[in-house]
Amino acid sequence: MGKENTIEVKRFIEVRKGLDFTQPEFAKLLGVSKTTADIERGRTKLSGKVVTELLKQFKINPLWLFGDSDQQYLSTKVNSVIPKFVTVDAEDRENMVLVNAKAAAGYPQNIQDASWYKQLPAFDLPIPEFRNASYRGFQVEGDSMLPNLYPGEWVLAKATESLDDVSANKMYVVVLYDAVLVKKIEKVPNSNSVSLISLNETYPPYQVANDQIQELWQVNSKISFGLDTTTEKGLLKELQESMEELKKRIK
C-alpha cells in the first residue's frame, strides 16, 4: 500500500473535491505551494499548518482527518459556560442569587436581563469557602436525582468556567436554552456533546450538544428544610442561622 492510500490523504482529497476546488485553488487557500498534488500523491506529509487551516477555514476535525473520529466537522467557536450576569451588593461584592423552581422556568430566556435578576432574592455568604468565585442557589425540581437530592431542596453551586473542567464524580446545574437541570455529566468521546445522567435510574441518560449549554454550575452543597421552610424567606433564615452558628464555632 503506497503513501497515497493513507487515510489522511484520502480524506484530504475528499475534502477538496467536496468543496469543489482545483488542486491549485486549494493550495492557495491553505497557504502551501502552487498545488496540492504532492500532498495527494503522498510525497508531502500533511503539515500542522495545513491541518490548522482546514480546521479554521472549513471546520474539518483533525481527529477525523487522521481516522480517529467519525465526526468530520468541528465547531471552532469557544462554548462559554461562565455566568452571563452577576449581581453585586452596595459594597460591590458579588451576591449569591437564589433561583427557585418557578423562576428556573424563565431563567434560560432571561439569563442576561439585569431587571429580571432584581426580582430574585440575593445574599452574601461571609465564609471563605464561598469567596473568590461565583455561586448561585437553585431549587431542585423533580425526582431525577433521588436519593441524593429531593424535590424542593436547594443546591448551592459554583460557576464552572469550561466544559473541560467537568468531573464525572460531581453534580451540576446545567442551564440549557429551554431548561435548568441538575445532573451528572459525562463527556462523549470523539463528539461535541455530553451525556446528562440522572441518579434515579428510572430516567435514562441523554445527550446534548455542547453549544446547547448556556451556563454550568458545580453543586457545592445542599440545604434541606422542613415543610414550613421551603420559601426563599425560609432559606434566608436558615442560612443566617447557619452563619451565626459557624461564627460561634470560629470564635
Side-chain angles (χ1 to χ4, degrees), residues 27-248:
K28 187 176 180 181
L29 280 169
L30 299 175
V32 295
S33 59
K34 294 180 180 178
T35 175
T36 58
D38 282 350
I39 293 174
E40 295 182 24
R41 291 188 189 120
R43 290 178 182 170
T44 303
K45 285 190 175 181
L46 278 178
S47 67
K49 174 177 169 49
V50 168
V51 173
T52 300
E53 289 301 318
L54 287 171
L55 174 60
K56 280 169 64 178
Q57 295 188 49
F58 308 108
K59 310 291 189 287
I60 300 300
N61 181 1
L63 292 175
W64 172 83
L65 200 59
F66 289 92
D68 292 324
S69 172
D70 294 327
Q71 183 181 344
Q72 182 174 353
Y73 299 101
L74 197 65
S75 171
T76 53
K77 178 183 136 185
V78 176
N79 184 41
S80 173
V81 295
I82 60 174
K84 304 298 181 281
F85 188 85
V86 295
T87 65
V88 294
D89 62 17
E91 296 177 17
D92 209 31
R93 289 182 305 220
E94 187 174 332
N95 285 321
M96 186 185 295
V97 174
L98 300 176
V99 183
N100 67 16
K102 183 179 178 183
Y107 186 93
Q109 295 79 30
N110 295 285
I111 204 162
Q112 298 188 64
D113 184 349
S115 61
W116 184 82
Y117 281 90
K118 287 178 182 176
Q119 67 174 319
L120 302 177
F123 65 97
D124 176 54
L125 208 52
I127 55 175
E129 288 81 1
F130 291 90
R131 290 293 185 206
N132 304 316
S134 294
Y135 284 86
R136 196 150 289 173
F138 294 89
Q139 190 175 28
V140 177
E141 189 174 20
D143 59 359
S144 69
M145 297 306 278
L146 290 174
N148 293 40
L149 298 174
Y150 282 80
E153 289 185 327
W154 290 77
V155 293
L156 304 183
K158 177 183 176 182
T160 303
E161 289 191 6
S162 166
L163 279 164
D164 293 335
D165 300 330
V166 164
S167 167
N169 300 319
K170 303 287 185 182
M171 289 187 291
Y172 293 87
V173 177
V174 185
V175 183
L176 303 175
Y177 281 92
D178 59 356
V180 178
L181 310 169
V182 183
K183 300 289 176 190
K184 293 189 79 173
I185 298 177
E186 282 186 6
K187 295 170 186 173
V188 179
N190 298 326
S191 167
N192 260 358
S193 60
V194 292
S195 185
L196 302 184
I197 299 166
S198 301
L199 296 180
N200 185 339
E201 293 180 358
T202 60
Y203 294 87
Y206 62 94
Q207 288 186 22
V208 297
N210 292 350
D211 60 11
Q212 293 303 300
I213 301 175
Q214 295 198 80
E215 288 181 351
L216 204 57
W217 302 81
Q218 182 184 305
V219 173
N220 174 280
S221 51
K222 75 168 184 175
I223 303 172
S224 302
F225 302 98
L227 292 175
D228 58 339
T229 59
T230 53
T231 65
E232 286 91 342
K233 285 183 180 177
L235 176 59
L236 288 168
K237 184 181 177 186
E238 183 90 3
L239 285 167
Q240 286 161 358
E241 288 173 356
S242 298
M243 290 307 99
E244 290 302 317
E245 186 63 31
L246 276 171
K247 287 175 187 174
K248 287 176 186 175

